[in-house]
């Protein structure tokens, strides 16, 4: 373990041998960021920024392999949340001879095969579907993001003892369908806790009929798994009808879009609880806050566009950016380990390297496990006054500090 943890340090040392090379003397290596820039701008942008920040830090010295020095170049492609576009984008990534792809996850069930032919590694940093990652069947697919399985089972573990009759709602997007499957599995042995299961149209502007159906089924809590727009629509439908039912979501509940849509009714956001990967490690908040400072110095703060009741501007901690940042750093470490720019060799080396992640956790994969976030690291946070804090009625969450979200 100690050997692999020194990989990045060795990378910097080797890159500095003989002095730094100027950018004009370096050979570029392309990393493609495949994200939903037009349909979910915040998500696409934060993934891109995390990848660019890691690339900048690696490029401060360059990557020295043999007699050549390389640098990372980030290019972006827009999936528009379309599986067909995701497939076309992966073909473009292959044409551009990408050394790796940082992917939100849309359409990955089809696009991974295209990257697999030349051996290009894919790092999924948002979608958590169980079928996405399979070290044997999909050896070039890795993930640094909470899994749907982990999120759903933690939600079940958290909600069932509360005695709630839960309405399980998911939209018909790729993200929602995969989450719905995970929820069905998580609540399979406790069907008495489920009041109703519904699939919601992801593009619907009004979900009042579906929310009314859940209310008539005597649901006393709702788990809403879908795009941020779906979550905002469910909250709007419930609260405008006077139904103060508690609502629980996956990480999409923290997307700025939810608060932006409900900016005229900030009290409707209060109590919204989401499950996500914890931002801080056992060693404390230091590593993540350092990463956040570097992120903000490079790209500015990610503003939600709303204010607290005290007039403070609300910002978004760069959680998804952290996952993209960590994957690019692992790719850099794998390049050194492989001693080659052959994507297939880089993919193989990703099974053998480890780095310290942006939040202080150790990130890495092996031949049997391509998941970079363990299920035990799922926590719960609840909104109040447009910001969120870890809940106090869950053992892990209660130990976590609140991350500042105002400027």
């Amino acid at each position: 373990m100690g050997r692999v943890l020194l990989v990045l340090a060795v990378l910097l040392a080797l890159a500095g041998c003989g002095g730094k090379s100027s950018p004009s003397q370096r050979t570029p290596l392309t990393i493609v960021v495949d994200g939903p820039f037009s349909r979910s701008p915040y998500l696409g942008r934060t993934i891109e920024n995390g990848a660019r920040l890691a690339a900048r830090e690696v490029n401060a010295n360059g990557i020295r392999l043999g007699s050549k020095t390389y640098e990372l170049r980030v290019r972006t492609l827009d999936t528009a949340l379309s599986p067909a576009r995701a497939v076309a984008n992966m073909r473009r990534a292959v044409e551009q001879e990408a050394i790796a792809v940082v992917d939100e996850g849309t359409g990955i069930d089809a696009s991974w095969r295209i990257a697999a032919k030349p051996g290009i590694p894919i790092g999924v940093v948002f979608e958590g579907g169980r079928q996405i990652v399979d070290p044997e069947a999909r050896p070039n697919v890795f993930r640094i993001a909470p899994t749907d399985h982990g999120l759903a089972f933690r939600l079940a573990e958290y909600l069932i003892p509360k005695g709630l009759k839960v309405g399980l709602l998911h939209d018909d997007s790729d993200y929602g369908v995969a989450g719905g499957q995970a929820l069905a599995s998580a609540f399979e042995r406790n069907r008495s806790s489920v009041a109703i299961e519904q699939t919601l149209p992801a593009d619907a502007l009004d979900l009042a009929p579906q929310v009314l159906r859940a209310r008539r089924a005597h649901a006393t809590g709702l788990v809403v798994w879908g795009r941020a727009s779906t979550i905002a629509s469910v909250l709007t439908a419930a609260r405008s009808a006077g139904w103060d039912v508690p609502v629980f979501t996956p990480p999409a509940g923290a997307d700025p879009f939810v608060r932006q849509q409900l900016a005229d009714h900030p009290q409707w956001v209060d109590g919204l609880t989401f499950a996500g990967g914890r931002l801080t490690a056992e060693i404390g908040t230091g590593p993540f806050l350092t990463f956040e400072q570097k992120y903000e110095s490079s790209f500015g703060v990610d503003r939600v566009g709303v204010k607290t009741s005290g007039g403070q501007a609300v910002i978004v901690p760069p959680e998804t950016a952290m996952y993209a940042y960590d994957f690019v750093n692992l790719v850099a470490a794998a390049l050194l380990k492989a001693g080659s720019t052959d994507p297939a060799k880089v993919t193989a080396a990703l099974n053998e390297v480890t780095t310290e992640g942006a939040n202080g956790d150790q990130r890495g994969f092996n031949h049997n496990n391509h998941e970079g976030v363990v299920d035990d690291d799922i926590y719960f946070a609840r909104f109040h006054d447009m910001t969120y804090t870890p809940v106090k009625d869950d053992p892990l969450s209660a130990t976590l500090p609140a991350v500042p979200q105002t400027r």
Side-chain angles (χ1 to χ4, degrees):
M1 178 64 74
R3 175 178 59 82
V4 293
L5 291 178
L6 293 175
V7 167
L8 284 182
V10 174
L11 170 61
L12 295 177
L14 290 180
C17 292
K20 295 182 181 180
S21 60
S22 68
S24 62
Q25 297 172 315
R26 298 177 181 176
T27 301
L29 296 172
T30 298
I31 289 184
V32 166
V33 173
D34 198 26
F37 294 95
S38 59
R39 292 292 303 277
S40 185
Y42 166 73
L43 181 57
R45 187 179 69 253
T46 193
I47 293 172
E48 175 190 358
N49 289 347
R52 288 195 184 280
L53 180 58
R56 287 180 188 178
E57 294 180 359
V58 170
N59 292 344
N61 292 289
I63 301 172
R64 186 68 178 268
L65 300 176
S67 61
K68 272 187 163 184
T69 301
Y70 298 86
E71 68 175 17
L72 303 178
R73 301 272 181 90
V74 176
R75 295 183 179 179
T76 61
L77 297 173
D78 181 19
T79 65
L81 292 176
S82 163
R85 284 278 292 275
V87 168
N89 287 352
M90 198 63 75
R91 291 196 179 99
R92 289 182 62 188
V94 171
E95 291 170 359
Q96 294 172 2
E97 298 182 333
I99 195 67
V101 174
V102 182
D103 204 299
E104 169 260 339
T106 295
I108 200 73
D109 286 342
S111 64
W112 76 270
R113 298 177 185 276
I114 298 167
K117 291 180 181 178
I120 298 173
I122 301 171
V124 177
V125 295
F126 184 72
E127 292 272 4
R130 192 168 192 174
Q131 81 289 350
I132 288 176
V133 174
D134 186 328
E136 291 188 10
R138 303 179 178 185
N140 66 317
V141 181
F142 304 83
R143 174 163 49 203
I144 303 182
T147 69
D148 288 356
H149 175 270
L151 292 165
F153 274 81
R154 283 283 282 137
L155 280 164
E157 178 183 66
Y158 181 58
L159 296 177
I160 290 171
K162 295 181 182 299
L164 294 174
K165 295 289 287 186
V166 182
L168 302 180
L169 315 182
H170 68 86
D171 68 23
D172 55 9
S173 67
D174 283 359
Y175 180 64
V177 170
Q181 293 170 347
L183 286 173
S185 178
F187 283 86
E188 184 176 10
R189 295 185 179 181
N190 294 275
R191 299 302 301 173
S192 60
S193 295
V194 178
I196 189 174
E197 293 180 83
Q198 289 192 85
T199 300
L200 313 176
D203 296 324
L205 298 178
D206 182 10
L207 293 175
Q210 291 86 350
V211 171
L212 178 59
R213 192 174 299 121
R215 189 174 190 176
R216 287 176 173 172
H218 306 293
T220 57
L222 298 179
V223 178
V224 185
W225 202 304
R227 297 175 183 169
S229 57
T230 299
I231 294 168
S233 293
V234 169
L235 280 171
T236 298
R239 303 304 184 237
S240 62
W243 192 22
D244 195 28
V245 64
V247 177
F248 306 87
T249 77
D255 189 295
F257 185 84
V258 176
R259 284 168 280 178
Q260 291 164 4
Q261 289 296 102
L262 301 177
D264 292 339
H265 301 278
Q267 70 276 12
W268 289 358
V269 182
D270 286 350
L272 174 65
T273 303
F274 69 90
R278 60 185 175 83
L279 301 181
T280 55
E282 287 87 348
I283 60 176
T285 61
F288 181 78
L289 293 180
T290 298
F291 166 72
E292 185 177 47
Q293 290 169 359
K294 293 189 297 183
Y295 181 92
E296 293 181 1
S297 294
S298 295
F299 309 108
V301 296
D302 285 332
R303 298 187 182 276
V304 176
V306 300
K307 294 182 178 181
T308 66
S309 58
Q312 293 178 300
V314 178
I315 62 98
V316 190
E319 177 185 355
T320 306
M322 169 179 74
Y323 298 142
Y325 174 90
D326 289 351
F327 183 71
V328 171
N329 276 323
L330 281 166
V331 170
L335 279 161
L336 179 64
K337 175 69 177 179
S340 170
T341 59
D342 179 347
K345 293 182 179 179
V346 175
T347 292
L350 277 168
N351 290 308
E352 302 179 29
V353 296
T354 304
T355 66
E356 182 177 295
N359 71 346
D361 281 336
Q362 297 305 312
R363 300 289 191 207
F365 313 104
N366 59 54
H367 291 281
N368 300 314
N369 186 1
H370 284 187
E371 299 286 3
V373 175
V374 299
D375 291 348
D376 290 345
D377 281 347
I378 304 300
Y379 85 114
F380 303 101
R382 184 168 294 128
F383 278 98
H384 176 71
D385 200 16
M386 289 297 188
T387 62
Y388 59 81
T389 56
V391 302
K392 299 301 182 183
D393 56 350
D394 170 70
L396 170 63
S397 306
T399 66
L400 300 178
V403 174
Q405 296 157 58
T406 57
R407 292 289 187 272

